[in-house]
Amino acid sequence: MKTTMLFLMLATAVFSAEAPLLKDDFLVSDSAMRRAARGPWKFVEGSAVCTQDDALFKKNKDHGPILFYDLAYTDAFIHFAVKRDEANKMIIFTANGADGHVFRLVFTPAGMGVRAFPPEQKDHKSISLGNEKAVVLKPGAWTKVSVELRGTKATVKVGDFSKVYEHASIARAKTNLSVGFSYGTVSVTEMVVDK
């Protein structure tokens, strides 16, 4: 009897655990949850890989390849891994709301910029929450990135780096998220969004 009760309690705990809001294993090229745009994206061995097409870059007003995920959330824990080559100049993670950008990480060879987009700013301009010169993505290596958005705070982890940023605009409702880049080749894997 005790064994049966214990089994039922464990089974209930396992099945009541919340599933992720989003999980992309990149095993298929066509996915209802993902929009791959502005580049020749390939889905190979569990990752999305793209090399910027310069003609498409110009056609899209100097905006490079991007992966979009349409997802309604306010607070979430987003994690993924990226790999860039030597030619890559920028990788951008963005959380967007119905009225535009909300929060952004910008990775360049010079470091990582952290941006917020207060809705009261004219022309939807961003403000800097930090410039982390020590956070540089090593070419040819996978780097794990996580962004936890909770109320007015964003906890950002990149490899061994971890820091909390705060701004009132971060608490706004979000409608999607994206990972995009400019120049070279970039790979993305392990995209998961949890509550």
Side-chain angles (χ1 to χ4, degrees), residues 38-116:
R38 301 195 303 243
W41 286 96
K42 296 177 184 165
F43 301 89
V44 182
E45 298 177 0
S47 63
V49 182
C50 189
T51 300
Q52 177 185 296
D53 177 307
D54 291 340
L56 282 175
F57 185 73
K58 286 295 174 200
K59 180 181 176 183
N60 288 290
K61 300 177 183 174
D62 295 341
H63 285 75
I66 192 163
L67 296 172
F68 277 109
Y69 295 91
D70 294 319
L71 181 70
Y73 63 101
T74 299
D75 293 341
F77 177 55
I78 302 148
H79 45 108
F80 58 95
V82 294
K83 180 171 64 172
R84 72 179 191 92
D85 69 359
E86 288 281 354
N88 174 256
K89 293 184 181 177
M90 186 180 300
I91 296 175
I92 301 171
F93 163 81
T94 307
N96 298 298
D99 58 348
H101 306 317
V102 174
F103 180 80
R104 176 174 278 173
L105 300 177
V106 180
F107 299 96
T108 70
M112 177 183 73
V114 182
R115 316 290 296 172

Side-chain angles (χ1 to χ4, degrees), residues 24-38:
D24 192 351
D25 56 18
F26 298 107
L27 295 176
V28 296
S29 57
D30 293 329
S31 171
M33 71 179 102
R34 173 194 340 113
R35 288 185 287 133
R38 301 195 303 243

